[in-house]
Amino acid sequence: MELKIPTKILIWGLGAAMSGAVAACTKGQSGDIDQIKGLSSACYEAAMEQDYDLCDSIATNYVRQAQEADNKKELANALYYRGLYNFNLEDADNRRPYLMQALELAKALDNPPLLCKIYNALGIYEVACYHRYAQAHKYFTQSLAQAKILGDRRMQIVAETNLSEVYRVSGDTMALRYDLDIYRYATDMADSALINSSAFHLAKYYFKRKGEADKALPYIDAVARYGEPDRHTALMGEYYLLKGNLRKAQTYLESILVDPNTETMLLYADLLSQLGKYQQSNATLDTLTQLANLSDAYSSIPVHANQIYAYNYQQLGNLDQALHYLRLFSDGRDSIQNLHNQQELSRYKVEYELDKKESEMAHQRELVKRARWHLGTIIGALVLVLGIVLWHMRRQTRLYRSIVAQNREFIEREKALSKPTQRAESTGLTDQRMEEIYALILHELEENQIYRDITVTRDTFAERVGCNHTYFTQVIREKAQMSYLQLMNSYRIREALRVLSAEGPEGDVTMQQLFKDLGFLSMSTFYKAFKAQVGMSPSVYRRTLKQLPDEAVPTAKNDFPNEPKTTK
């Protein structure tokens, strides 16, 4: 069966795909990588020279080396070379499984360069060996998708070139968009071979569109500059044939009849028919059918040939033959249309599956993106909360240390004072009597530590200093500027601070024992009074005090909270 995709395009596509991915597939390994790289390069060179026997021999060793090195990427690349189509249809079923193995490895590795060239090679098998154009379209489309992921323009052009050929073989005008893109790329890269092929295809497309033959002229000029002279001459002959200038068309077409191809011979047969040379036209068609294999169901050449036969025999008066070829023409046209319809349905199905898969992948990517955003937000919030907590703890620690420092300074000052000073205050009692009572109160508190006695009350305390309940309360309020309970607790807490700050066994007293020694009726009352005056619990005070260096000098200069006021 005639190979519909031009060999030059296939080789160009294979070469470009391999050259674009060889570096990516042999980069960054260790061990025997130099030897493996050498095998990869040798396979590439052999494939480019189309020496597939040599390529197979090297690739077999390449596979073994990659397996021994347990290098999955290189193994996939080696299997790719083992599976390249060698233009031998009988060997295709033996070679293609290597590509499928390479594909599975490349998918597991998620390696776009490998996937791009493997999909391209599989698409070539589908067209050249099996004529499954829908499946070929699927593979070439996947190759194009991988090339876009890589951002590799040249590898995209490889896939687009092969997609264009698939569309053209199946009679689909969708190839036009790819040929336009290929032509622009080829012009930018000054690739003469690619300019020639893409310009030729674009010219042929505009010939097929009624009334648009003139749009083909720029591309015909490009073929003249970069292509073979015969190809340009054939295009000019077809152009003038479409424009109705039969003499010029004849001049161009007859100049290349020495070694014509099937399309040129068909054009010349059509020209002779339009010139009224029906016998010569039929003879040309007879030669065409003898030289060319017209059994391809997708080929429009036999359909067009039968149409010209029918017209020629009708003009020659042979109606039986005319009717015979007219039926062949009608059957062939319907057959091609049906095949095109089937092909279109298959292509839409493949595209639907690809679009569906891409949509699912996009949805998954969006879910992952959202999950990452939510996770990032949660982590950010946790970091912020942790930062606030740490800041608060540091601030609280500084506050505690400041309070402890103040209390340490207060204790030091207390030691330096031999006697409490007296403060002058106005009272309803005589000043002398008020001073006497207050001095007795301070004596009981500081010398006798009356606050330790849990049985002492306000009245018993007043009796011990020789005054009544009313005077006792008035003196405390005016001289100490606090209530009786506040005065008692201030001395208890001051003693608690001294004990907690002491070294040795005295400072190691338990909180249970301490609150009893200080005259508190319960642990909770002790803790509440201590925190009200000091700003922290006794246990926190003790722990904070231990963290301060022994030689630390207090910086706070404030008096101890609720310190009893004395007069000098």
Side-chain angles (χ1 to χ4, degrees):
M1 188 173 289
E2 183 180 1
L3 181 63
K4 296 304 295 181
I5 293 185
T7 300
K8 289 184 178 179
I9 297 298
L10 282 176
I11 296 303
W12 184 89
L14 285 168
M18 289 188 290
S19 62
V22 164
C25 292
T26 59
K27 185 177 180 182
Q29 302 293 328
S30 60
D32 297 331
I33 189 61
D34 291 337
Q35 184 177 1
I36 292 176
K37 279 186 177 181
L39 291 171
S40 176
S41 298
C43 283
Y44 168 68
E45 295 295 335
M48 290 300 294
E49 295 295 329
Q50 300 185 52
D51 190 343
Y52 293 105
D53 290 337
L54 177 59
C55 184
D56 279 345
S57 176
I58 299 171
T60 301
N61 188 25
Y62 186 10
V63 169
R64 182 177 57 79
Q65 294 280 354
Q67 288 174 332
E68 290 177 356
D70 195 24
N71 190 322
K72 303 298 185 184
K73 186 189 296 185
E74 293 297 339
L75 179 58
N77 199 43
L79 289 169
Y80 162 76
Y81 284 113
R82 285 288 282 124
L84 283 181
Y85 176 56
N86 61 357
F87 298 96
N88 182 353
L89 294 176
E90 295 179 356
D91 198 26
D93 290 337
N94 297 325
R95 301 176 67 85
R96 188 173 178 275
Y98 291 115
L99 281 181
M100 300 308 296
Q101 293 179 47
L103 179 61
E104 292 305 314
L105 285 171
K107 284 181 177 179
L109 293 168
D110 191 21
N111 188 299
L114 275 172
L115 288 170
C116 183
K117 65 179 188 175
I118 293 169
Y119 281 131
N120 185 76
L122 286 169
I124 291 171
Y125 266 102
E126 295 300 327
V127 175
C129 300
Y130 309 117
H131 290 255
R132 296 190 296 230
Y133 298 109
Q135 190 65 25
H137 175 272
K138 173 184 176 180
Y139 283 133
F140 290 139
T141 301
Q142 289 173 321
S143 178
L144 178 60
Q146 295 299 319
K148 288 181 178 179
I149 291 174
L150 288 170
D152 191 318
R153 188 75 178 98
R154 183 167 178 80
M155 294 179 78
Q156 290 181 44
I157 292 299
V158 172
E160 288 184 356
T161 300
N162 288 331
L163 275 170
S164 173
E165 291 296 334
V166 169
Y167 280 126
R168 193 164 16 261
V169 169
S170 59
D172 195 326
T173 57
M174 287 291 291
L176 178 60
R177 65 173 180 174
Y178 292 120
D179 282 322
L180 286 170
D181 191 38
I182 294 166
Y183 182 76
R184 286 191 292 267
Y185 171 81
T187 303
D188 292 341
M189 301 301 294
D191 189 325
S192 58
L194 199 54
I195 291 174
N196 174 40
S197 63
S198 58
F200 177 79
H201 293 145
L202 287 168
K204 296 291 283 186
Y205 271 116
Y206 286 117
F207 285 164
K208 292 178 181 179
R209 293 186 174 187
K210 187 176 181 180
E212 295 189 11
D214 288 338
K215 291 184 179 180
L217 289 174
Y219 302 110
I220 296 174
D221 291 341
V223 172
R225 292 194 300 273
Y226 299 101
E228 300 173 0
D230 285 355
R231 174 172 277 194
H232 172 257
T233 301
L235 288 175
M236 290 302 298
E238 187 171 2
Y239 171 76
Y240 282 116
L241 184 62
L242 291 170
K243 298 294 288 185
N245 191 333
L246 303 183
R247 295 301 174 188
K248 279 194 173 183
Q250 185 176 12
T251 300
Y252 278 107
L253 293 176
E254 287 183 348
S255 68
I256 57 173
L257 285 179
V258 177
D259 187 22
N261 58 33
T262 54
E263 288 192 6
T264 303
M265 292 184 69
L266 185 64
L267 287 173
Y268 188 63
D270 191 6
L271 170 66
L272 292 174
S273 179
Q274 293 187 45
L275 289 172
K277 300 179 180 181
Y278 307 118
Q279 296 285 5
Q280 288 181 256
S281 176
N282 284 344
T284 302
L285 292 174
D286 291 341
T287 304
L288 172 62
T289 57
Q290 293 172 6
L291 295 178
N293 182 355
L294 303 181
S295 61
D296 190 346
Y298 280 97
S299 176
S300 61
I301 291 178
V303 177
H304 194 187
N306 289 331
Q307 184 182 25
I308 298 173
Y309 267 131
Y311 178 78
N312 290 341
Y313 281 115
Q314 181 185 9
Q315 296 302 314
L316 292 170
N318 191 338
L319 298 183
D320 290 338
Q321 285 292 87
L323 183 59
H324 168 71
Y325 282 107
L326 185 60
R327 287 172 179 168
L328 291 177
F329 163 70
S330 179
D331 291 344
R333 181 183 59 187
D334 292 344
S335 177
I336 287 180
Q337 186 61 46
N338 289 334
L339 286 171
H340 285 172
N341 291 339
Q342 294 174 12
Q343 185 71 20
E344 192 74 4
L345 288 173
S346 298
R347 182 169 63 84
Y348 285 145
K349 182 179 179 181
V350 169
E351 289 179 348
Y352 170 76
E353 291 174 352
L354 289 174
D355 290 343
K356 181 180 179 181
K357 184 176 180 181
E358 180 62 29
S359 177
E360 291 174 352
M361 291 174 63
H363 179 65
Q364 291 297 325
R365 287 194 294 268
E366 183 63 24
L367 290 178
V368 171
K369 182 179 178 182
R370 289 181 183 179
R372 287 176 177 174
W373 184 86
H374 287 306
L375 181 60
T377 302
I378 293 172
I379 292 175
L382 290 175
V383 169
L384 178 61
V385 170
L386 181 61
I388 293 173
V389 170
L390 290 175
W391 173 81
H392 179 72
M393 290 176 63
R394 290 184 62 184
R395 183 172 180 272
Q396 190 177 45
T397 300
R398 287 196 298 270
L399 176 63
Y400 286 172
R401 290 187 178 185
S402 175
I403 292 172
V404 171
Q406 291 180 36
N407 285 293
R408 179 185 285 182
E409 182 182 0
F410 168 74
I411 292 171
E412 295 297 326
R413 288 207 316 266
E414 285 290 301
K415 292 179 179 178
L417 295 174
S418 58
K419 290 183 180 180
T421 59
Q422 297 178 337
R423 298 189 179 100
E425 292 288 343
S426 61
T427 178
L429 297 171
T430 62
D431 292 342
Q432 182 179 359
R433 179 57 180 158
M434 186 173 289
E435 291 291 343
E436 290 174 356
I437 294 172
Y438 189 56
L440 291 172
I441 291 172
L442 294 179
H443 177 77
E444 289 293 334
L445 289 169
E446 294 172 2
E447 301 297 331
N448 298 331
Q449 295 184 332
I450 192 173
Y451 54 81
R452 291 181 180 272
D453 186 355
I454 61 174
T455 64
V456 71
T457 64
R458 186 192 310 261
D459 292 335
T460 56
F461 199 157
E463 290 178 1
R464 291 182 66 165
V465 296
C467 68
N468 60 29
H469 175 95
T470 303
Y471 284 173
F472 180 77
T473 302
Q474 183 179 356
V475 169
I476 290 175
R477 284 196 176 277
E478 292 193 13
K479 302 300 289 183
Q481 296 184 0
M482 62 181 70
S483 68
Y484 165 74
L485 186 59
Q486 288 174 334
L487 178 65
M488 294 288 282
N489 284 344
S490 69
Y491 274 88
R492 289 167 176 158
I493 300 305
R494 186 178 354 180
E495 178 63 13
L497 289 171
R498 187 193 68 76
V499 172
L500 292 173
S501 302
E503 297 180 356
E506 184 182 12
D508 294 334
V509 65
T510 65
M511 295 297 172
Q512 189 74 19
Q513 184 62 41
L514 182 60
F515 90 82
K516 294 177 179 179
D517 292 344
L518 294 174
F520 284 103
L521 295 176
S522 67
M523 176 75 80
S524 60
T525 305
F526 169 49
Y527 265 68
K528 184 176 180 180
F530 192 97
K531 192 168 185 179
Q533 289 192 205
V534 181
M536 67 185 78
S537 68
S539 57
V540 173
Y541 180 86
R542 171 180 276 172
R543 185 168 59 250
T544 305
L545 184 67
K546 290 180 179 180
Q547 295 174 355
L548 292 175
D550 294 337
E551 65 274 12
V553 178
T555 57
K557 299 301 180 183
N558 299 328
D559 288 341
F560 180 73
N562 298 328
E563 178 185 350
K565 307 298 180 183
T566 58
T567 57
K568 296 181 181 179

